[in-house]
């Protein structure tokens, strides 16, 4: 945990996932900014901060939003450094973005040699039709991916289906990943004290 003199915890969170899955929109929604229906691709990186309290603990979240366009990999690689958690995003109405999730994990591992705690987010759930179409990803598939992730990597992960348009599950996702980081740090501190 990075902390300053007021004992505030500071965590760097990084949003990753294919272009246009809704990373910028998720960040905007979490920061209380309005939904933009047109797609303006992130150029390289963008970041924002949010202060939250978890119980008595003040937390500063620094949220990095990396462009999902493959051409920006050279820019992205610098910004994974110091990342404490990932928000790994796919679109539930675009199977290819779900199939590409492991590629993102490989990219992160290539640059920081570990996979941090991760929130796996199936975004655009407001667009999913009542019957699951071929190009759509079901809730069960998302859950199975999370289970496999935890089993294979031994890293904590949460799974949510979100909508950056309606705000569904966005607060929950950030709040759960923050609690995982605080728990991780208090466990480390308790071990160090013994
Ligand atoms: P890159 O910067 O290219 O990596 O894209 P991104 O992943 O940041 O996607 P962005 O947030 O720019 O959203 C892409 C498009 O999807 C925009 O037109 C958004 O309005 C739309 N969008 C994002 N999230 C949702 C959602 O939950 N529901 C709906 N209906 N549209 C969404």
């Amino acid at each position: 945990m990075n902390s300053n003199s007021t004992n505030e915890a500071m965590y760097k969170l990084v949003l990753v996932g294919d272009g246009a899955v809704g990373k910028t929109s998720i960040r905007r929604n979490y920061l209380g900014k309005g939904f933009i229906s047109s797609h303006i691709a992130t150029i390289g990186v963008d970041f924002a901060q949010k202060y939250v309290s978890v119980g008595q603990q003040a937390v500063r979240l620094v949220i990095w939003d990396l462009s999902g366009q493959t051409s920006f990999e050279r820019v992205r690689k610098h910004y994974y450094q110091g990342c404490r958690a990932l928000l790994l995003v796919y679109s539930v109405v675009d199977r290819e973005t779900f199939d590409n999730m492991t590629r993102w994990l490989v990219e992160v591992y290539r640059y920081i040699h570990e996979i941090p705690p991760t929130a796996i987010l199936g975004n655009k759930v407001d667009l999913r039709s009542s019957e699951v179409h071929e190009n759509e990803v079901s809730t069960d598939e998302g859950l199975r991916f999370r289970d496999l992730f935890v089993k294979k990597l031994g890293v904590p992960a949460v799974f949510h289906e979100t909508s950056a348009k309606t705000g569904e599950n966005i607060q929950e996702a950030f709040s759960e990943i923050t609690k995982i980081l605080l728990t991780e740090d208090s466990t480390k501190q308790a071990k160090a004290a013994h």
Side-chain angles (χ1 to χ4, degrees):
M1 168 168 68
N2 290 325
S3 55
N4 61 22
S5 54
T6 59
N7 228 11
E8 165 198 273
M10 186 182 83
Y11 297 127
K12 175 175 176 178
L13 312 182
V14 175
L15 283 147
V16 288
D18 280 7
V21 292
K23 299 178 297 296
T24 301
S25 305
I26 288 172
R27 180 171 59 95
R28 285 181 62 86
N29 182 282
Y30 183 59
L31 297 171
K33 296 185 177 168
F35 180 73
I36 300 172
S37 58
S38 57
H39 177 211
I40 306 154
T42 305
I43 308 292
V45 294
D46 201 356
F47 78 96
Q49 304 194 61
K50 178 155 170 153
Y51 294 86
V52 294
S53 298
V54 181
Q56 300 293 313
Q57 178 68 58
V59 182
R60 172 151 54 121
L61 298 177
V62 185
I63 307 162
W64 290 76
D65 179 7
L66 307 179
S67 165
Q69 316 295 324
T70 44
S71 53
F72 287 111
E73 181 174 345
R74 282 174 49 203
V75 180
R76 283 196 305 266
K77 66 181 182 188
H78 299 290
Y79 296 97
Y80 290 126
Q81 304 303 324
C83 161
R84 284 295 309 270
L86 293 176
L87 296 125
L88 176 59
V89 187
Y90 65 96
S91 161
V92 297
V93 291
D94 184 350
R95 176 162 294 281
E96 200 183 332
T97 65
F98 180 70
D99 295 342
N100 281 340
M101 290 221 290
T102 45
R103 288 197 192 182
W104 286 99
L105 293 173
V106 168
E107 182 178 299
V108 171
Y109 193 83
R110 188 182 307 139
Y111 295 118
I112 59 172
H113 312 298
E114 63 169 342
I115 299 294
T118 298
I120 297 159
L121 306 181
N123 191 42
K124 305 198 185 183
V125 73
D126 60 290
L127 294 179
R128 192 161 59 194
S129 35
S130 45
E131 299 151 36
V132 175
H133 289 217
E134 213 173 288
N135 196 34
E136 298 184 355
V137 184
S138 71
T139 307
D140 268 1
E141 288 175 285
L143 281 168
R144 280 203 297 272
F145 184 91
R146 192 271 315 269
D147 292 348
L148 202 66
F149 177 104
V150 173
K151 198 170 150 199
K152 294 269 180 206
L153 302 177
V155 170
V158 297
F159 168 68
H160 278 293
E161 289 186 324
T162 56
S163 168
K165 187 172 185 180
T166 67
E168 185 174 339
N169 283 332
I170 304 278
Q171 295 288 332
E172 288 81 351
F174 279 91
S175 152
E176 286 174 23
I177 202 74
T178 305
K179 283 183 189 151
I180 286 176
L181 296 177
L182 286 167
T183 307
E184 206 172 62
D185 283 350
S186 55
T187 311
K188 271 189 214 153
Q189 278 163 8
K191 275 191 189 154
H194 280 102

